[in-house]
Amino acid sequence: MVFTLEHHDPETYRRKARMISFAMAGQLIIFGLLFSMLLTSTFGSSLWLNALGVLLGLLATSALFAVLRERPWMTEVRYVWQLKHHLSQVSGYLSQLRKAVEESNRTALDLLTFYHQGMAQLAELNGRTTDDDAERLAEKMQVKIKREELELPPQVESIDTHDLQAFKRG
């Protein structure tokens, strides 16, 4: 699956993420209370029925959210979920990618460059500073130098996560 890095305004993303989080929490509370009240009024009061009501509320909220996630106003939030998913996939192969970078493997260089760019973008969107330690900065520099040696562009616009299959997961 090809994933392309996009630019999104951090303030817009954070505002929408907060709004959606509050709306989903409110829906969960309302659905949970509604299902709990319906179950306890029908079958009598019980801790298990209340817990079942909350579980049904969670399922109803999840179903509603699944329907709404493709809406245009969810673009930024959906993009960040996808970015996190792809970064998580790449992070599972980091040790193998690092070894392949030492061998000047172009695919590994692209994937590791994407990983660093994605982590920086995620930090920016969330309004945090990147927690670059000395080891990560050294790795970024190593990747940058290798890319320059191979005359590759300094940035990667997109990756294909199927490229990860070439690296043995450890």
Side-chain angles (χ1 to χ4, degrees):
M1 176 181 183
V2 176
F3 179 76
T4 303
L5 291 171
E6 302 171 2
H7 174 73
H8 292 280
D9 179 52
E11 285 301 317
T12 302
Y13 163 71
R14 287 192 294 271
R15 187 182 75 248
K16 285 184 179 182
R18 276 192 304 272
M19 177 190 68
I20 291 167
S21 295
F22 287 135
M24 298 313 281
Q27 286 175 343
L28 174 60
I29 290 168
I30 291 169
F31 283 147
L33 287 172
L34 178 67
F35 284 120
S36 291
M37 286 176 25
L38 287 172
L39 289 170
T40 55
S41 66
T42 304
F43 300 109
S45 184
S46 165
L47 176 66
W48 293 109
L49 290 176
N50 282 320
L52 180 60
V54 171
L55 178 65
L56 290 172
L58 180 62
L59 292 174
T61 301
S62 297
L64 181 61
F65 192 62
V67 170
L68 295 177
R69 76 176 188 189
E70 295 301 321
R71 300 283 190 232
W73 48 270
M74 290 283 289
T75 302
E76 292 85 358
V77 175
R78 187 175 51 249
Y79 171 76
V80 170
W81 288 333
Q82 291 169 348
L83 177 62
K84 286 179 180 180
H85 172 73
H86 291 294
L87 289 172
S88 173
Q89 282 183 306
V90 173
S91 72
Y93 291 87
L94 284 178
S95 62
Q96 295 80 8
L97 292 172
R98 289 174 178 139
K99 289 176 188 170
V101 162
E102 292 173 7
E103 300 165 3
S104 300
N105 182 309
R106 181 192 163 105
T107 305
L109 283 164
D110 287 348
L111 289 166
L112 211 49
T113 301
F114 165 81
Y115 179 76
H116 289 295
Q117 287 175 218
M119 292 298 284
Q121 184 182 41
L122 191 58
E124 177 189 356
L125 287 169
N126 285 319
R128 296 188 178 106
T129 58
T130 55
D131 57 343
D132 286 337
D133 55 18
E135 186 177 318
R136 186 169 306 178
L137 288 172
E139 180 180 85
K140 278 179 163 179
M141 186 56 69
Q142 177 192 13
V143 169
K144 180 182 177 192
I145 291 168
K146 287 280 189 184
R147 291 186 74 78
E148 288 172 356
E149 287 174 3
L150 296 172
E151 298 179 1
L152 297 172
Q155 303 288 318
V156 174
E157 298 300 318
S158 63
I159 63 158
D160 186 350
T161 51
H162 291 107
D163 290 342
L164 289 169
Q165 295 172 359
F167 303 92
K168 183 178 177 189
R169 193 168 189 160

